[in-house]
Amino acid sequence: MSVTAREIRLASRPTGWPTDDNFAFADVELASPSAGELLVRNTFMSVDPYMRGRMNDAKSYVPPYEVGKALEGGAVGEVVESGVDGVTPGDLVLHNAGWRSHALVSQYTPLTPVDGVSPSHFLGALGMPALTAYVGLLDIAEFKPGETVFVSGAAGAVGSLVGQFARLKGAGRVIGSAGSADKVAHLKNKLGFDAAFNYREGDVRELLTRAAPDGIDVYFDNVGGDHLEAAIDSLRRDGRVAACGSISMYNEKELPPGPRNLYLLVGKRLTLRGFIVLDHNDRFGAMAKEVGQWLADGKLVAEETFADGLDNAPAAFLGMLRGENTGKMVVRL
Ligand code: NAP
């Protein structure tokens, strides 16, 4: 069997905010899979902040996307034709050939459908963002029950799980920041955060001090910049920062100075530790077991924002960077 696959390529590298011109659509013919390969039809694909970094020609923990080549990223696909013993058409797999309608893949993870759980969650609450939240909170920040946790980007894929994991694991207080009044209401009313603020409404340092007058023990940093500086001010003695991402800077042409208060790390005996989820795949089983149970018991809200159709993937990606998502942004193909 051969299929015509539609794919999205990097047409040019963005400077600052990406635009539609940075993406190009192309049709390619895919042959039948060779031995060891699967031909899959993608049903869901992920758009993630790290993809913005891969659009730059810069050395990082993953190589840059190549201009003129298809973009890639997490996707759930249904097997159309199999070159692998034991895998049959209709089976679901997780793989990294997103940004296209169909793909030939040789590296994939078989997925076992779970009753009542959309396969899209393997890109979010049961996937990479969940592992990021789990490892960052428990292993990197070494969260302990009773502690006060502050997470930025709190209404997004990773942040919304960090706050809920902290609550489910016995946090004394969970505080989140997000970019709209609706998101703040979502955090407090639906996700069980004790306090939340809209960072666009004023000085982050003042907003955080008001939300956490007694200080914080853990800061899960998704945003960087003014959020990190405010958190360093609010951290109590022996506080920890899990440095997960700095989305406030990904589209900036000039990086802001700071944080200006790093000297506080000394007197307060603070730890600031960066991490990359790819280094922690050994924790996937523990995460999936615990988080899967919370989902099955209805204790965890796994919010998703969907965009429909491959043609809308660039808009979904840009929308996610601008904050149009609540929970995980997923493209439904
Ligand atoms: P997400 O939070 O679902 O989506 C991105 C969110 O960032 C938007 O919804 C937007 O929400 C917020 N945002 C955009 N510009 C901002 C700004 N200037 N200031 C504050 N917030 C801003 O994305 P995610 O996948 O969960 O990723 C969250 C963070 O984790 C990112 O920094 C990402 O790079 C990082 N990450 C790291 C790893 C790792 O291995 N270290 C793995 C996965 C993700 P608002 O409406 O609230 O502004």
Side-chain angles (χ1 to χ4, degrees):
M1 183 196 301
S2 89
V3 297
T4 305
R6 191 157 168 76
E7 65 181 32
I8 302 180
R9 298 176 176 170
L10 181 66
S12 56
R13 297 198 188 280
T15 313
W17 279 88
T19 63
D20 288 347
D21 296 343
N22 300 129
F23 301 90
F25 288 83
D27 290 334
V28 290
E29 290 300 313
L30 296 182
S32 282
S34 312
E37 279 185 333
L38 304 174
L39 174 64
V40 298
R41 181 182 70 80
N42 286 336
T43 51
F44 296 101
M45 62 160 268
S46 185
V47 287
D48 297 279
Y50 77 84
M51 293 169 174
R52 175 63 191 84
R54 290 194 70 184
M55 296 174 93
N56 297 334
D57 190 13
K59 200 165 174 235
S60 183
Y61 61 95
V62 273
Y65 291 133
E66 284 181 56
V67 174
K69 295 256 176 75
L71 299 165
E72 56 184 40
V76 172
E78 191 180 292
V79 176
V80 177
E81 196 180 345
S82 172
V84 179
D85 284 346
V87 180
T88 53
D91 286 358
L92 289 183
V93 293
L94 180 71
H95 60 84
N96 205 40
W99 293 94
R100 59 203 96 182
S101 65
H102 298 75
L104 283 167
V105 298
S106 54
Q107 295 199 323
Y108 56 87
T109 306
L111 294 177
T112 309
V114 183
D115 273 352
V117 174
S118 165
S120 54
H121 286 314
F122 291 110
L123 302 172
L126 283 174
M128 182 277 281
L131 186 60
T132 307
Y134 194 83
V135 164
L137 180 70
L138 302 181
D139 302 348
I140 305 298
E142 298 181 8
F143 162 79
K144 292 184 278 301
E147 290 188 326
T148 296
V149 175
F150 169 49
V151 55
S152 54
V158 173
S160 62
L161 297 174
V162 170
Q164 293 185 88
F165 293 174
R167 173 174 55 74
L168 288 162
K169 290 224 167 243
R173 204 168 144 77
V174 180
I175 298 151
S177 68
S180 73
D182 283 352
K183 288 187 180 184
V184 167
H186 173 74
L187 295 177
K188 292 201 281 199
N189 303 335
K190 234 176 140 185
L191 305 190
F193 280 59
D194 299 289
F197 62 85
N198 176 356
Y199 67 84
R200 296 183 205 272
E201 269 178 0
D203 177 64
V204 178
R205 187 189 308 257
E206 282 170 25
L207 294 165
L208 178 58
T209 306
R210 216 176 299 152
D214 299 327
I216 60 175
D217 302 297
V218 166
Y219 172 48
F220 193 107
D221 188 21
N222 287 319
V223 167
D226 54 356
H227 273 81
L228 178 56
E229 189 168 298
I232 290 171
D233 259 21
S234 281
L235 277 160
R236 293 198 271 246
R237 191 186 152 152
D238 297 318
R240 286 92 61 209
V241 177
C244 176
S246 298
I247 198 161
S248 67
M249 300 179 193
Y250 296 170
N251 293 302
E252 294 302 320
K253 292 183 194 162
E254 293 280 329
L255 290 182
R260 296 163 294 184
N261 55 353
L262 281 178
Y263 69 94
L264 290 175
L265 266 62
V266 180
K268 294 207 250 184
R269 287 83 156 170
L270 304 182
T271 304
L272 198 160
R273 189 171 164 207
F275 72 103
I276 291 294
V277 65
L278 296 173
D279 301 335
H280 300 273
N281 286 330
D282 59 318
R283 293 283 277 153
F284 195 88
M287 180 283 291
K289 189 163 173 241
E290 199 161 12
V291 176
Q293 195 59 51
W294 285 331
L295 269 179
D297 294 345
K299 291 181 175 169
L300 187 75
V301 177
E303 194 79 16
E304 297 173 294
T305 300
F306 289 106
D308 280 303
L310 185 69
D311 290 0
N312 286 319
F317 173 63
L318 297 176
M320 177 276 300
L321 292 175
R322 279 194 294 265
E324 286 168 14
N325 58 310
T326 299
K328 177 76 187 107
M329 181 68 107
V330 177
V331 183
R332 204 161 27 194
L333 303 178

